[in-house]
C-alpha cells in the first residue's frame, strides 16, 4: 500500500471509530447536484439533501467550501463551523470521497449557487487519488479502460453518456412514430446468419448444443414479416469475431428495421429522414464536423451507382468479369494486395472500398450492388448480376446497409447454397444454409424493404470521435499483462 492510500485508510478508520461504518448505512437524496444548480430559482431557501463525489476542497478558518458532483453537474457546499456540529470532521474527507449532505439552497456573496450545509456524512471512501482535473487522463487507452475515473473527473465521457442515452431514446421515437413495432429476437442462434461475418461460438451444456452469438437479427425479423407483422425494428447487440479497428468492435449495437410492402427505395427515404431527424434534435443543426470534414445534411442525399462509379474511377466494369482470375488480373494491374481466401465477392468488396467508399464525403447512397456481395437482396429486374441494395456512406464510412428483401424461397435457397459452398471452401465469414428461414419464406413473405444501421458509427460522427471505442462505454481492449 502506498503512502497516500495509507493516509486515506487512516482517515476512514477514524471516521468509523467516531460514526460507525459508512458502508452499512443507506442514504436518500432529494436532488442531484446538477438539478439543484439548474433549478435554483425554485429551490432557493429550500431544504434539500444531495450527494456526490468531492471534487474540490478549500478551508478558510471557520469556513469550508467543497464542490461535489456527478454527471448531472457539480455544486458548491458552504460549511460554517458555528452552524455545523461536525465541522472539524471535514478534515477526514479527501478529494474523490462520496459524501451525503443536507442543507438549504442559497447563493454566496459572490453569486455562487451553494448548499448551506447543516449535516454531512461520508458514504464511500475514495481509496485512490483522482487524476488532476485540469489535465485529466491523457492516455486514450487508460480512459477507455477506466471509464469510471474519466467520468468521475468530468471527462468527455460524462457528457457523452447522456448524449448516447438520448440518441437511443430519439432513435426509438422515430421508428415508433412511423408505426414500427419494436421487437426482441434471440441472441443465441443455432445457425449464424443475416450478415457476412465470422461468429463467436459457445455451447449449451444441458442440451449439448453448439450455439452462436448472433451476428445479425435479420432472418428472425423477416420471419415476423412472414407471420404478419407489417413493420418491425430492433435495437440490440451483435457480435462478430473479427478484428478491432477504429470502425470495428467485436460487440456493437445495430438498429435493423423491416417494412412489408416497402422496398429499398422506401428504406432510402426513411434512412435520410431518420438521420436528419436525429441531427435536428440532438445536434440542433443540419451539418456537423467529423474527422476534419464538414458534413452537410442539407438537400437530398446524393446517389451513386456502384457499377458506373467503378467504371468512372478506374475503368473496371464488373459485368465483363465472370471468373476469380479476372479479378486477380485487375488487382495485379492496380497494385492491390490479393489476400488469402479471396472470392469474387471479397474482391468486389475490396474494389468498392478502395475506389468508391473511401472517396465519399457528404451522405451518399451507393446503389446496385453485385449479387455476390448481396446474398439476401432482390435482383434488379432484368439483371442477373446486380441487386436492389444500397449502402449509405458518410465521410468514407458505411453507416447503413439496405435491401429490397429477397423473398423468393427458391432463389434464396440457391444463394445460400453458393454461400455454403464458399464456407466449405474455407471462407469463415460466408453464411451457412438456414433451412428454417427457407421454410419460413415458403409460407410466403410480402415484398419488403429492410435496413440496418451501425449505431456506434453514427454516434462517432455526431460526437466527432475518431474511434468507435470512444462511444462504447466499455470497449473491447487487449488485456494488460498485469490484469
Amino acid at each position: 500500500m502506498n503512502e497516500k492510500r495509507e493516509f486515506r485508510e487512516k482517515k476512514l478508520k477514524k471516521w468509523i471509530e467516531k460514526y460507525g461504518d459508512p458502508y452499512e448505512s443507506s442514504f436518500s437524496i432529494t436532488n442531484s447536484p446538477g438539478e439543484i444548480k439548474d433549478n435554483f430559482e425554485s429551490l432557493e431557501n429550500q431544504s434539500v439533501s444531495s450527494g456526490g463525489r468531492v471534487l474540490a476542497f478549500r478551508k478558510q478558518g471557520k469556513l469550508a467550501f467543497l464542490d461535489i458532483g456527478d454527471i448531472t453537474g457539480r455544486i458548491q457546499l458552504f460549511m460554517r463551523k458555528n452552524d455545523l456540529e461536525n465541522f472539524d470532521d471535514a478534515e477526514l474527507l479527501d478529494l474523490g470521497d462520496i459524501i451525503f449532505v443536507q442543507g438549504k439552497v442559497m447563493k454566496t456573496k459572490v453569486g455562487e449557487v451553494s448548499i448551506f450545509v447543516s449535516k454531512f456524512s461520508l458514504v464511500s471512501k475514495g481509496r485512490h487519488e483522482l487524476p488532476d482535473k485540469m489535465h485529466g487522463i491523457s492516455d486514450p487507452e487508460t480512459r477507455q479502460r477506466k471509464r469510471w475515473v474519466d467520468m468521475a473527473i468530468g471527462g468527455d465521457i460524462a457528457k457523452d453518456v447522456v448524449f448516447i442515452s438520448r440518441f437511443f431514446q430519439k432513435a426509438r421515437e422515430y421508428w415508433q412514430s412511423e408505426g414500427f413495432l419494436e421487437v426482441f429476437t434471440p441472441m443465441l442462434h443455432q445457425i449464424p446468419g443475416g450478415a457476412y461475418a465470422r461468429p463467436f461460438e459457445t455451447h449449451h451444456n444441458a442440451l449439448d448444443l453448439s450455439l452462436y452469438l448472433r451476428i445479425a437479427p435479420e432472418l428472425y425479423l423477416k420471419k415476423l414479416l412472414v407471420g404478419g407483422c407489417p413493420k418491425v425494428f430492433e435495437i440490440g447487440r451483435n457480435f462478430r469475431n473479427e478484428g478491432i479497428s477504429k470502425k470495428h468492435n467485436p460487440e456493437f449495437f445495430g438498429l435493423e428495421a423491416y417494412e412489408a410492402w416497402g422496398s429499398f427505395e422506401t428504406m432510402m427515404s426513411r434512412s435520410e429522414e431518420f438521420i436528419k431527424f436525429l441531427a435536428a434534435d440532438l445536434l440542433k443543426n443540419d451539418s456537423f464536423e467529423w474527422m476534419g470534414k464538414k458534413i452537410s445534411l442539407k438537400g437530398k442525399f446524393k446517389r451513386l451507382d456502384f457499377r458506373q462509379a467503378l467504371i468512372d474511377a478506374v475503368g473496371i466494369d464488373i459485368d465483363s468479369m465472370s471468373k476469380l482470375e479476372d479479378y486477380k488480373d485487375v488487382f495485379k494491374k492496380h497494385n492491390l494486395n490479393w489476400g488469402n481466401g479471396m472470392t469474387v465477392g471479397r474482391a468486389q468488396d475490396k474494389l468498392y472500398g478502395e475506389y468508391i467508399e473511401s472517396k465519399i464525403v457528404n451522405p451518399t447512397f451507393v446503389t446496385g450492388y453485385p449479387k455476390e456481395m448481396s446474398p439476401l437482396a432482390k435482383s434488379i429486374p432484368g439483371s442477373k448480376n446486380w441487386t436492389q441494395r444500397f449502402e449509405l456512406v458518410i465521410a468514407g464510412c458505411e453507416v447503413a446497409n439496405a435491401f429490397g428483401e429477397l423473398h423468393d424461397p427458391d432463389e434464396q435457397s440457391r444463394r445460400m447454397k453458393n454461400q455454403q459452398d464458399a464456407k466449405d471452401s474455407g471462407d469463415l465469414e460466408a453464411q451457412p444454409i438456414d433451412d428454417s428461414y427457407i421454410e419460413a419464406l415458403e409460407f410466403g413473405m410480402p415484398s419488403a424493404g429492410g435496413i440496418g444501421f451501425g449505431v456506434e458509427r453514427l454516434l462517432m460522427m455526431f460526437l466527432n470521435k475518431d474511434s468507435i471505442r470512444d462511444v462504447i462505454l466499455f470497449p473491447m481492449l487487449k488485456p494488460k499483462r498485469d490484469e
Side-chain angles (χ1 to χ4, degrees):
M1 187 183 299
N2 64 42
E3 187 178 333
K4 289 181 177 178
R5 174 162 180 169
E6 188 175 355
F7 186 61
R8 287 171 175 252
E9 296 276 7
K10 286 179 179 178
K11 288 186 177 182
L12 174 59
K13 187 177 180 181
K14 288 181 181 179
W15 183 278
I16 291 173
E17 288 171 353
K18 194 166 186 178
Y19 297 105
D21 190 343
Y23 297 105
E24 294 180 352
S25 300
S26 297
F27 300 87
S28 179
I29 68 170
T30 59
N31 304 90
S32 69
E35 287 173 344
I36 294 171
K37 205 160 191 178
D38 293 342
N39 298 282
F40 170 72
E41 290 184 1
S42 62
L43 291 174
E44 186 176 12
N45 295 321
Q46 299 295 310
S47 294
V48 296
S49 57
S50 191
R53 191 178 299 277
V54 178
L55 302 172
F57 192 153
R58 306 171 298 283
K59 194 171 183 185
Q60 300 172 6
K62 296 183 178 183
L63 302 178
F65 299 89
L66 289 76
D67 284 4
I68 62 168
D70 56 22
I71 66 167
T72 67
R74 58 193 289 169
I75 193 164
Q76 180 174 270
L77 308 181
F78 174 47
M79 297 181 176
R80 190 162 58 192
K81 185 176 177 67
N82 293 345
D83 300 286
L84 185 59
E85 185 178 343
N86 61 341
F87 176 85
D88 293 333
D89 293 323
E91 295 286 357
L92 298 178
L93 301 179
D94 291 294
L95 295 182
D97 289 355
I98 305 289
I99 67 171
F100 169 80
V101 298
Q102 292 177 319
K104 285 193 174 182
V105 179
M106 57 165 286
K107 268 189 182 180
T108 62
K109 291 180 180 179
V110 296
E112 181 69 24
V113 176
S114 306
I115 300 174
F116 183 34
V117 178
S118 58
K119 181 180 179 181
F120 78 93
S121 179
L122 178 67
V123 175
S124 183
K125 189 68 180 174
R127 315 294 178 94
H128 300 277
E129 257 195 318
L130 292 177
D132 180 346
K133 184 181 185 303
M134 182 175 291
H135 301 97
I137 304 174
S138 58
D139 177 45
E141 186 175 316
T142 302
R143 284 202 303 270
Q144 292 158 7
R145 286 186 187 278
K146 299 185 178 180
R147 286 292 197 207
W148 57 93
V149 178
D150 193 30
M151 193 177 292
I153 61 173
D156 285 348
I157 192 64
K159 299 189 295 291
D160 294 346
V161 69
V162 177
F163 185 96
I164 292 167
S165 178
R166 184 159 174 76
F167 179 98
F168 279 96
Q169 175 191 341
K170 300 309 292 186
R172 286 188 165 90
E173 181 181 315
Y174 171 82
W175 292 100
Q176 288 171 345
S177 72
E178 294 294 311
F180 284 73
L181 185 69
E182 183 172 15
V183 296
F184 305 96
T185 62
M187 305 288 277
L188 291 172
H189 292 188
Q190 293 187 43
I191 299 173
Y196 197 77
R198 186 176 180 179
F200 286 97
E201 187 172 355
T202 186
H203 190 80
H204 192 294
N205 293 332
L207 297 177
D208 191 21
L209 182 66
S210 290
L211 294 170
Y212 303 88
L213 297 184
R214 79 173 178 197
I215 57 176
E218 177 170 345
L219 303 188
Y220 280 102
L221 292 172
K222 288 193 284 191
K223 285 178 179 179
L224 293 175
L225 299 189
V226 172
C229 294
K231 296 178 181 179
V232 294
F233 81 100
E234 181 171 7
I235 300 175
R237 294 187 185 279
N238 299 321
F239 305 86
R240 298 183 183 176
N241 199 349
E242 57 190 18
I244 297 173
S245 73
K246 288 192 171 185
K247 294 181 183 177
H248 298 87
N249 192 69
E251 176 184 1
F252 64 95
F253 271 100
L255 187 162
E256 295 201 14
Y258 294 85
E259 182 172 3
W261 312 112
S263 65
F264 91 127
E265 289 281 351
T266 307
M267 292 298 112
M268 217 176 288
S269 298
R270 290 202 182 280
S271 61
E272 184 170 339
E273 274 182 15
F274 175 56
I275 288 175
K276 288 179 176 179
F277 168 81
L278 291 176
D281 190 280
L282 299 171
L283 303 179
K284 311 299 183 190
N285 211 327
D286 57 8
S287 64
F288 58 90
E289 188 170 309
W290 184 58
M291 300 289 286
K293 297 172 183 175
K294 186 79 170 180
I295 311 299
S296 174
L297 303 178
K298 295 177 182 176
K300 296 291 289 181
F301 290 176
K302 181 181 176 182
R303 297 189 181 196
L304 192 65
D305 179 74
F306 185 112
R307 179 189 175 204
Q308 191 59 49
L310 209 49
I311 293 172
D312 294 343
V314 280
I316 299 170
D317 186 356
I318 286 178
D319 258 353
S320 66
M321 301 162 67
S322 59
K323 300 187 296 255
L324 191 59
E325 284 300 316
D326 296 333
Y327 288 90
K328 197 167 186 177
D329 292 342
V330 166
F331 273 56
K332 185 175 180 180
K333 177 182 177 181
H334 291 277
N335 296 314
L336 298 174
N337 179 51
W338 185 265
N340 294 328
M342 289 294 278
T343 62
V344 169
R346 282 180 178 273
Q348 292 169 340
D349 189 47
K350 187 154 187 174
L351 291 172
Y352 163 72
E354 187 76 22
Y355 296 115
I356 303 176
E357 185 181 56
S358 62
K359 311 300 181 186
I360 292 170
V361 178
N362 282 321
T364 300
F365 294 116
V366 182
T367 65
Y369 281 67
K371 188 177 293 184
E372 289 84 356
M373 291 176 65
S374 315
L376 297 170
K378 271 186 178 182
S379 296
I380 293 173
S383 172
K384 65 177 183 177
N385 296 329
W386 303 91
T387 63
Q388 297 178 42
R389 174 186 174 188
F390 73 80
E391 283 189 3
L392 175 57
V393 179
I394 302 175
C397 183
E398 174 205 338
V399 297
N401 183 27
F403 303 155
E405 299 297 338
L406 178 60
H407 66 296
D408 176 349
D410 297 330
E411 175 63 15
Q412 184 65 83
S413 182
R414 284 191 289 271
R415 294 205 203 169
M416 281 191 166
K417 176 64 167 60
N418 291 338
Q419 285 279 301
Q420 184 68 60
D421 290 345
K423 195 171 191 69
D424 293 342
S425 298
D427 187 348
L428 297 175
E429 295 185 345
Q431 300 176 56
I433 295 174
D434 187 334
D435 291 325
S436 170
Y437 179 63
I438 300 297
E439 182 187 28
L441 291 183
E442 289 173 343
F443 277 88
M445 185 181 95
S447 61
I451 191 165
F453 293 89
V455 170
E456 282 92 352
R457 290 185 181 182
L458 281 171
L459 284 167
M460 283 169 64
M461 294 179 181
F462 283 4
L463 289 168
N464 196 15
K465 306 292 185 182
D466 69 350
S467 172
I468 196 169
R469 291 190 294 271
D470 290 329
V471 297
I472 298 173
L473 295 183
F474 299 100
M476 176 69 73
L477 297 168
K478 187 182 292 186
K480 283 188 171 181
R481 290 184 179 178
D482 59 349
E483 290 183 347

